[in-house]
């Protein structure tokens, strides 16, 4: 699948070949990347801090913007402390480096993001996969390998299909006889942050977990529409990451202007609960139009809608939608329902009219390709 040659974009549209097209893709769930106050924060911080600190934070590369963002993210996620990383991918590496002195076994959901497995193996953990979304499978493995120290690792929301991990049951799957330092539930909340939970506080808040064994990693590039990553949890573990994790100590932090943008975006989420509610309203509207087209749905309040058709129809439907000015991405990405599938995403900036337009146009092309297929089959008899 070729990359889309996008020359400009808004929260609702992309420009391709000089055409502005209504877009339902990506992960900018709250549309914050385009908010004027977020962009203004970048401009202000550039004038004060330049583009980069050019050094690691534990030498001369720290700023008060980084410190403030860490505190605010931890508080929003209802955790004691947080530490910034370059992006969500490396947040999992920092977390694994903090866990590895006491934990030798990583038990990972079979469809978890590759960064989780890569992080665990990079620190020498022995990796075992549990069956997708199956806490009993995780519990069996955790009990078998408890003596080595165990971390169960999972996405909170799976990017490919919107499935929600059974976090409460996974926490219960940890061996009860292990102290918190030797047992952990690592939750990669990249697609739950700003989507699930009260006010968008994420998958852990959605599951009402308050436990010293829980460690959250997430990106600032999806729900917040900015850039960077964070690890959040209890203070002792976050302190250990700060003091020992090479991926943190030996790297330049996210540019201060992007940290400032994330602070502005987080303030909007914190101060305007209606933003997450608009996302949920749009999710409900999208569920209605896809139901009308007999398309299976993800769990409620998830903005990711994936589906497949017969192989020969998918490209025709995709091209038909694009010709009519709508981008419903047809992608090849691990963890989906098939090697190639539609991944349609709604965000808080879409209007109800946008969603209705998608539904009507999708219905048109689903019907057209079904009729063409039936005609072709009839002609061969």
């Amino acid at each position: 699948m070729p990359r889309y040659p996008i020359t400009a974009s808004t929260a609702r549209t992309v420009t391709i070949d000089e055409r502005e097209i209504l877009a339902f893709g990506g992960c900018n769930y709250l549309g914050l990347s385009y908010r004027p106050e977020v962009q203004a924060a970048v401009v202000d911080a550039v004038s004060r801090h330049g583009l980069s600190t050019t050094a690691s934070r534990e030498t001369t590369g720290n700023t008060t913007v980084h410190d403030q963002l860490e505190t605010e993210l931890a508080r929003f996620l209802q955790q004691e402390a947080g530490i910034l990383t370059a992006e969500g991918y490396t947040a999992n590496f920092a977390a694994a480096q903090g866990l590895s002195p006491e934990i030798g076994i990583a038990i990972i959901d079979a469809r978890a993001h590759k960064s989780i497995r890569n992080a665990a193996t990079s620190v020498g953990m022995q990796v075992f996969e549990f069956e997708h979304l199956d806490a009993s499978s995780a519990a069996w493995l955790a009990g078998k390998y408890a003596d080595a120290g165990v971390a169960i690792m999972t996405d909170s929301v799976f990017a490919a299909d919107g499935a929600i991990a059974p976090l409460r049951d996974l926490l219960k799957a940890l061996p009860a006889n292990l102290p918190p330092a030797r047992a952990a539930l690592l939750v990669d909340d990249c697609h739950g942050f700003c989507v699930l939970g009260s006010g968008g506080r994420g998958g852990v808040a959605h599951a009402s977990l308050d436990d010293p064994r829980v460690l959250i990693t997430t990106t600032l590039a999806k729900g917040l529409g900015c850039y960077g990553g964070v690890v959040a949890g209890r203070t002792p573990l976050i302190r250990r990451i700060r003091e020992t994790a090479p991926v943190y100590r030996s790297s330049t932090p996210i540019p201060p202007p992007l940290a400032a943008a994330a602070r502005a975006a987080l303030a909007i989420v914190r101060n305007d609960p209606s933003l997450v509610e608009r996302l949920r309203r749009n999710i409900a509207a999208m569920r209605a139009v896809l139901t009308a087209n007999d398309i299976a749905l993800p769990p409620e309040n998830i903005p990711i809608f994936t589906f497949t058709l017969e192989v020969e129809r998918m490209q025709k439907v995709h091209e038909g939608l694009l010709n009519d000015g709508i981008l419903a991405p047809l992608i090849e990405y691990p963890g989906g329902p098939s090697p190639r599938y539609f991944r349609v995403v709604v965000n808080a900036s879409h209007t109800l009219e946008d969603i209705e337009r998608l539904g009507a146009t999708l219905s048109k092309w689903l019907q057209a390709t079904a009729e063409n297929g039936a005609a072709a089959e009839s002609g061969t008899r």
Side-chain angles (χ1 to χ4, degrees):
M1 188 74 190
R3 292 180 293 182
Y4 298 107
I6 297 170
T7 57
S9 60
T10 71
R12 298 171 46 252
T13 67
V14 296
T15 300
I16 300 175
D17 296 330
E18 300 184 352
R19 295 176 63 214
E20 188 174 58
I21 297 167
L22 181 61
F24 292 90
C27 306
N28 187 28
Y29 300 127
L30 297 182
L32 290 168
S33 182
Y34 301 90
R35 288 285 289 255
E37 53 267 63
V38 174
Q39 296 179 354
V42 173
V43 175
D44 177 66
V46 165
S47 67
R48 290 184 292 113
H49 294 287
L51 293 177
S52 172
T53 67
T54 73
S56 67
R57 289 180 65 195
E58 298 304 319
T59 57
T60 59
N62 190 53
T63 71
T64 55
V65 179
H66 293 100
D67 291 335
Q68 291 162 341
L69 179 57
E70 284 174 339
T71 298
E72 290 161 2
L73 284 166
R75 185 178 299 126
F76 183 75
L77 291 168
Q78 300 175 332
Q79 300 298 311
E80 290 181 356
I83 191 162
L84 293 173
T85 63
E87 75 289 290
Y89 205 105
T90 51
N92 285 325
F93 280 72
Q97 289 168 2
L99 293 170
S100 62
E102 300 289 342
I103 291 176
I105 302 295
I107 298 170
I108 303 175
D109 187 289
R111 294 191 187 178
H113 194 274
K114 295 300 182 185
S115 63
I116 299 177
R117 171 183 280 273
N118 292 347
T121 57
S122 74
V123 297
M125 290 182 180
Q126 190 172 2
V127 171
F128 298 93
E129 290 187 348
F130 66 90
E131 295 178 25
H132 183 47
L133 305 177
D134 188 341
S136 62
S137 172
W140 184 82
L141 287 165
K144 183 176 181 180
Y145 296 104
D147 290 347
V150 169
I152 296 176
M153 302 181 176
T154 182
D155 299 27
S156 63
V157 177
F158 289 80
D161 62 5
I164 300 176
L167 295 183
R168 293 181 197 173
D169 292 336
L170 290 174
L171 183 62
K172 292 176 183 176
L174 289 171
N177 61 325
L178 291 180
R182 305 201 66 233
L185 173 63
L186 185 149
V187 180
D188 182 322
D189 206 24
C190 286
H191 297 275
F193 179 46
C194 296
V195 173
L196 291 177
S198 173
R201 284 174 172 78
V204 169
H206 176 72
S208 301
L209 301 185
D210 182 11
D211 191 288
R213 297 170 294 174
V214 173
L215 186 63
I216 300 170
T217 63
T218 192
T219 180
L220 312 184
K222 302 187 187 312
L224 280 186
C226 297
Y227 199 77
V230 68
V231 185
R234 293 297 199 264
T235 300
L237 182 53
I238 300 303
R239 184 183 298 119
R240 186 192 306 161
I241 293 171
R242 175 177 174 177
E243 294 174 351
T244 66
V247 74
Y248 163 76
R249 293 186 64 84
S250 302
S251 64
T252 304
I254 60 173
L258 297 182
R263 288 193 68 209
L266 185 62
I268 293 170
V269 179
R270 194 170 56 238
N271 297 327
D272 183 8
S274 69
L275 187 62
V276 174
E277 292 308 313
R278 285 202 298 276
L279 173 63
R280 292 173 181 169
R281 177 206 67 181
N282 286 349
I283 291 169
M286 182 70 84
R287 291 174 70 88
V289 300
L290 293 182
T291 296
N293 285 287
D294 296 322
I295 292 172
L297 302 176
E300 290 189 6
N301 292 328
I302 298 300
I304 303 165
F305 300 85
T306 61
F307 61 93
T308 63
L309 306 169
E310 296 86 347
V311 173
E312 63 276 9
R313 291 179 67 198
M314 286 198 289
Q315 186 65 30
K316 293 177 182 178
V317 170
H318 175 261
E319 291 175 354
L321 286 163
L322 205 56
N323 287 336
D324 284 346
I326 296 178
L327 175 59
L330 180 60
I331 68 170
E332 297 174 9
Y333 193 82
S338 69
R340 199 175 189 205
Y341 56 97
F342 286 96
R343 183 182 186 273
V344 176
V345 173
V346 66
N347 69 50
S349 295
H350 284 120
T351 66
L352 294 178
E353 291 75 16
D354 291 338
I355 297 167
E356 290 170 1
R357 178 183 166 194
L358 169 64
T361 311
L362 178 61
S363 179
K364 165 188 166 181
W365 286 105
L366 289 174
Q367 182 176 349
T369 56
E371 290 172 351
N372 289 342
E377 184 179 347
S378 175
T380 63
R381 291 175 180 170

